Amino acid sequence: MRPALLDPLFAPLASLPGIGPKVGELFARLLDAESIDDCRVVDLLFHFPHSIVDRRNQPGIAHAPQGTIVTITGRVDRHQPPPSGKSSVPYRVFLHDDTGELALTFFRVKGNWLEKALPLDETVVVSGKVDWFNGRASMVHPDHMVRLDEQENLPLVEPVHPLTAGLSPKVLRKAVETAVARLPDLPEWIEESLRRQQGFSSAAAAFQRLHDPRDETDLDPQAPARRRLAYDEFLAGQISLALVRQKLRKVAGRPVRATGLLTAPVVDALPFSLTNSQEAAIADVLADMGKDLRMLRLLQGDVGAGKTAVALMAMLAAVESGGQAVLMAPTEILARQHFATISRMAGPSGVAIDVLTGRTKGRERDAILERIASGETQIVIGTHALFQDNVSYHDLVLAVVDEQHRFGVHQRLRLTAKGISPHMLVMTATPIPRTLVLAAFGDMDVSRLTEKPAGRKPIQTVVMPQERTGEIVDRLRSALGAGKKAYWICPLVEESEESDLMSVEERHATLAGVFGPAAGLVHGRMSGPEKDAAMLAFKNGETRLLVATTVVEVGVDIPDATIMVIEHAERFGLAQLHQLRGRVGRGDEASSCILLYKGPLSENGRARLSIMRETEDGFRIAEEDLKLRGEGELLGTRQSGTPGFRVASLEAHGDLLEIARKDAAYTLERDPDLTGERGEAIRTLLYLYRRDEAIRFLRAG
């Protein structure tokens, strides 16, 4: 149950005064919600200002700089309304101070409100932007006008919140102020010693300061109020990940006793020797699986770093121990590719391997399900279909999941909910910066593969403007003539009115004009069988140039493809460019990657392309990507069950994440059910930051 003291914050946003259906729609758009019904008062609490308007500059009329916001105190001399019937002429009010005269200018004035607001001979305080024409100062529609005796009502520092078209700053400001006023007296969930050491105020005071800043420094990421709330957000995230981990770990794992009986002949037959980091990762995995606790390990390795070999050794160890292993991939293409690779590598061990996807139908499916249930199949490879209700395992000991970012915390729990509690190894080819690993996968231990297998040649990367496309087509003509294979990647499927990007269908049409049937096409709108057929034709050499969208980004393995052309490279993120480049350079021939861009490049675009030219190190690229794009975009976090932060920034507050992680572990060690005084306060924190899913594990556990 959510603590009652948070009720005022979780009231519908529409319950605030001044938010009717029409304005409500604007608020929903502002807060990125489907409708106003999905918005709560607390959402405005997390809608922070990005800058301030400073009205403290009071230079006097004659010294007011052009186009700058100033505050002027002056005496009203005269009103100059427009001649009757000339509503297009502005209404002017003139006032003076010791230094000069200022004309206040108003358009389309109705009624006599100006005479009341600015009476003759009255001293008033006005604030707004001053413009100079022919040596005369004017202020159009001042932001604020008050009489001298009311000047304490004039806000000298005003926060500027992000807006959406149609929503006035005044309406938003009023709603935010009401939301902040509803902040209850929150219990303290941070240890006193840490609070003192970091100089943190209370959470409520931090919210108030961020929404009512006194100057620019209050909005700095390193400002004490911001750091306090960033820590709260990290702590909520780390506690919820730790609760998930605690829940997953409560189900005891079954120790796997590896004998080496199956792995030894496989290692001996491998056409390459394992790298040091592969050997270290295998040792980590086997050590984890040998314990009573379930393994939860994330295996990070760049494209081509040899994750599959590590996964295979783990799966063979599970079979040696008398159990079964599954490998789950995000797509049909990948599952079948893993099946081909693993069947080949595992050949010498003689283990029985099957592949099961959503497209396995009828008798074939029934036969596979029967073999899995009887234990005859020792390793199963497939898609999400592996965990549907009608699949029952004889003795599932290990689950390997490929491409973590498509398989969030919730899916990891769903597996456990089936009453299956295998050891879990999750592989990702997306190198994730260390801080992001902590933030998104804090419930897992991590192994990193940092070397490329021996024999891989570096990929030469060049950056070229779109205007030189003709030269590239000529280069491709001679390369394909010499028997090489190439990819050509486009960002869109079909040409649209508002976009000047080259669509994949249009590009395919022009290239097919040059290369004829040797140019194949694959994109996300094609059906599964169509995609598979196009990939197979490319693999078998029936087509030699594959024009594609980013569907080829993950895992497609065509070792003899040596050229990668990426059109509109400036439109892709660094991680994606790196993934795409990793599709070539997988064989023993030298490969190249050509990044075509359409100028002029933004600062950011230029930085991305030059990093791609400088390095092939996926981990360095990931760190740079985090700097350039921020964590939310980097993980596409909205839909993937990973945290997009509202206050914290991994870059600015990485030091706090480390502390929050230790704090979460220490707290749950001492109070695993969060029933103590601090535990109860942390429950409030989890609700405030919408991490209440984690509380359900407390109850269920």
Side-chain angles (χ1 to χ4, degrees):
M1 287 281 289
R2 188 173 56 226
L5 99 156
L6 291 180
D7 288 350
L9 296 181
F10 282 85
L13 191 56
S15 66
L16 294 186
I19 303 185
K22 210 165 190 164
V23 174
E25 277 175 36
L26 299 173
F27 271 99
R29 194 186 323 146
L30 177 76
L31 298 168
D32 209 12
E34 291 283 309
S35 80
I36 187 67
D37 300 339
D38 302 324
C39 302
R40 297 284 170 266
V41 173
V42 71
D43 297 328
L44 280 184
L45 219 48
F46 287 102
H47 189 70
F48 296 109
H50 54 68
S51 57
I52 60 167
V53 175
D54 191 339
R55 302 188 184 282
R56 288 173 296 192
N57 185 12
Q58 305 192 26
I61 294 169
H63 311 298
Q66 160 68 23
T68 307
I69 288 178
V70 295
T71 299
I72 301 286
T73 305
R75 196 173 183 82
V76 179
D77 294 327
R78 65 186 194 281
H79 282 243
Q80 188 183 309
S84 65
K86 298 235 172 148
S87 59
S88 60
V89 176
Y91 189 126
R92 290 194 169 87
V93 179
F94 294 89
L95 49 92
H96 75 278
D97 67 4
D98 298 344
T99 68
E101 187 179 64
L102 174 69
L104 305 180
T105 307
F106 303 88
F107 292 93
R108 295 192 211 16
V109 174
K110 292 201 167 59
N112 63 347
W113 69 275
L114 277 175
E115 288 160 24
K116 289 179 181 165
L118 300 165
L120 286 176
D121 294 332
E122 184 86 50
T123 300
V124 294
V125 184
V126 295
S127 186
K129 197 181 279 181
V130 167
D131 289 305
W132 288 87
F133 299 103
N134 300 330
R136 308 182 89 134
S138 114
M139 188 184 282
V140 178
H141 286 277
D143 303 327
H144 295 277
M145 306 186 298
V146 295
R147 299 186 188 198
L148 190 57
D149 57 1
E150 295 167 350
Q151 75 175 37
E152 68 276 3
N153 296 341
L154 184 111
L156 289 178
V157 176
E158 273 184 297
V160 181
H161 289 78
L163 279 168
T164 187
L167 185 61
S168 83
K170 239 180 194 137
V171 170
L172 175 60
R173 177 87 193 118
K174 197 167 175 224
V176 169
E177 280 172 356
T178 314
V180 174
R182 286 194 173 192
L183 262 168
D185 190 9
L186 294 165
E188 185 49 80
W189 43 75
I190 298 183
E191 288 276 4
E192 189 50 40
S193 55
L194 177 64
R195 243 184 69 164
R196 273 204 307 275
Q197 180 202 337
Q198 291 287 340
F200 287 155
S201 64
S202 71
F207 276 112
Q208 282 153 354
R209 171 45 46 87
L210 273 181
H211 283 293
D212 194 9
R214 285 179 303 202
D215 51 39
E216 286 288 351
T217 56
D218 281 343
L219 297 179
D220 187 270
Q222 297 305 340
R226 188 113 204 172
R227 279 179 65 82
R228 157 76 213 222
L229 296 182
Y231 186 78
D232 289 349
E233 187 164 31
F234 282 150
L235 182 61
Q238 291 300 310
I239 292 267
S240 61
L241 279 169
L243 286 172
V244 168
R245 184 187 180 103
Q246 186 175 285
K247 167 81 174 161
L248 290 178
R249 287 274 164 97
K250 264 187 186 159
V251 189
R254 186 176 113 197
V256 165
R257 306 277 175 245
T259 61
L261 204 63
L262 302 173
T263 49
V266 170
V267 172
D268 291 345
L270 286 176
F272 51 84
S273 49
L274 296 171
T275 65
N276 294 336
S277 54
Q278 276 176 312
E279 290 191 338
I282 292 167
D284 284 345
V285 168
L286 294 181
D288 278 1
M289 285 166 58
K291 296 176 188 159
D292 295 336
L293 288 174
R294 291 175 61 199
M295 169 174 75
L296 271 178
R297 186 168 282 278
L298 179 68
L299 176 63
Q300 278 189 283
D302 219 334
V303 172
K307 294 181 295 296
T308 313
V310 176
L312 177 58
M313 296 306 145
M315 293 194 289
L316 290 173
V319 176
E320 287 171 355
S321 193
Q324 290 168 298
V326 300
L327 187 156
M328 181 170 119
T331 64
E332 175 94 21
I333 288 183
L334 265 175
R336 296 200 176 271
Q337 191 173 290
H338 274 310
F339 176 63
T341 311
I342 285 173
S343 300
R344 191 174 64 243
M345 284 165 79
S349 69
V351 295
I353 305 176
D354 263 314
V355 60
L356 178 70
T357 68
R359 297 227 318 273
T360 317
K361 295 275 189 278
R363 281 195 190 144
E364 183 193 5
R365 184 182 182 83
D366 294 342
I368 292 172
L369 291 179
E370 204 168 295
R371 292 199 292 273
I372 294 172
S374 70
E376 184 188 333
T377 295
Q378 294 159 299
I379 293 177
V380 197
I381 295 166
T383 54
H384 284 75
L386 291 172
F387 297 120
Q388 282 164 354
D389 294 339
N390 58 358
V391 185
S392 55
Y393 294 88
H394 179 67
D395 184 10
L396 183 59
V397 171
L398 169 69
V400 180
V401 179
D402 193 12
E403 281 308 320
Q404 165 63 26
H405 58 286
R406 294 157 193 241
F407 193 75
V409 173
H410 313 302
Q411 286 97 323
R412 302 210 281 276
L413 283 164
R414 193 171 305 148
L415 243 183
T416 317
K418 275 183 69 95
I420 303 172
S421 56
H423 294 287
M424 200 173 286
L425 177 66
V426 172
M427 308 193 291
T428 176
T430 313
I432 307 169
R434 194 183 131 57
T435 45
L436 252 188
V437 169
L438 288 183
F441 311 117
D443 58 330
M444 302 190 134
D445 300 304
V446 181
S447 292
R448 270 186 164 189
L449 300 183
T450 50
E451 307 150 274
K452 283 263 170 83
R456 283 274 165 100
K457 291 196 169 57
I459 300 167
Q460 189 203 356
T461 303
V462 292
V463 177
M464 293 171 87
Q466 197 85 33
E467 291 72 26
R468 292 175 61 187
T469 305
E471 289 174 43
I472 294 164
V473 173
D474 291 341
R475 270 180 63 183
L476 280 178
R477 198 183 271 118
S478 54
L480 299 195
K484 293 188 174 11
K485 283 185 190 170
Y487 292 100
W488 189 299
I489 306 295
C490 302
L492 278 187
V493 179
E494 62 203 23
E495 192 69 25
S496 65
E497 295 301 305
E498 64 274 13
S499 171
D500 56 349
L501 299 182
M502 171 65 81
S503 84
V504 68
E505 283 163 346
E506 196 181 329
R507 176 55 75 202
H508 176 252
T510 47
L511 291 170
V514 180
F515 300 106
L521 171 69
V522 64
H523 58 69
R525 297 236 183 108
M526 290 160 72
S527 68
E530 287 174 320
K531 271 190 244 175
D532 290 355
M535 294 306 305
L536 197 63
F538 186 51
K539 202 176 175 85
N540 296 342
E542 295 154 37
T543 55
R544 307 205 68 80
L545 171 65
L546 188 62
V547 186
T549 54
T550 52
V551 290
V552 299
E553 182 186 340
V554 246
V556 178
D557 194 15
I558 315 276
D560 56 346
T562 55
I563 301 167
M564 168 65 73
V565 181
I566 303 175
E567 198 164 346
H568 280 291
E570 77 281 1
R571 295 293 182 113
F572 293 97
L574 262 178
Q576 206 174 22
L577 287 171
H578 178 65
Q579 285 276 357
L580 287 165
R581 174 169 65 183
R583 299 293 112 227
V584 295
R586 299 170 85 88
D588 38 22
E589 267 194 80
S591 295
S592 57
C593 173
I594 300 149
L595 303 174
L596 274 176
Y597 68 88
K598 182 171 197 276
L601 281 176
S602 67
E603 203 62 24
N604 213 317
R606 185 172 290 115
R608 286 212 290 270
L609 297 184
S610 71
I611 290 159
M612 286 297 294
R613 212 172 36 208
E614 286 163 31
T615 183
E616 271 190 71
D617 173 355
F619 290 106
R620 189 189 146 201
I621 285 173
E623 298 289 350
E624 296 291 341
D625 208 11
L626 180 60
K627 278 187 206 145
L628 291 174
R629 292 203 296 159
E631 62 277 354
E633 213 179 319
L634 194 62
L635 278 169
T637 52
R638 277 282 172 273
Q639 67 296 341
S640 63
T642 47
F645 296 108
R646 296 190 285 183
V647 196
S649 139
L650 290 177
E651 224 180 309
H653 307 125
D655 61 317
L656 295 176
L657 179 56
E658 207 50 85
I659 302 168
R661 182 185 167 117
K662 290 183 180 136
D663 191 0
Y666 169 73
T667 303
L668 288 171
E669 214 169 276
R670 292 176 60 192
D671 182 8
D673 296 320
L674 298 180
T675 49
E677 189 183 346
R678 184 172 180 224
E680 288 293 345
I682 285 175
R683 287 175 179 240
T684 304
L685 166 76
L686 292 173
Y687 278 107
L688 182 64
Y689 281 85
R690 302 261 174 104
R691 293 302 185 112
D692 32 308
E693 276 201 344
I695 292 173
R696 290 210 279 282
F697 301 133
L698 280 172
R699 288 203 293 273

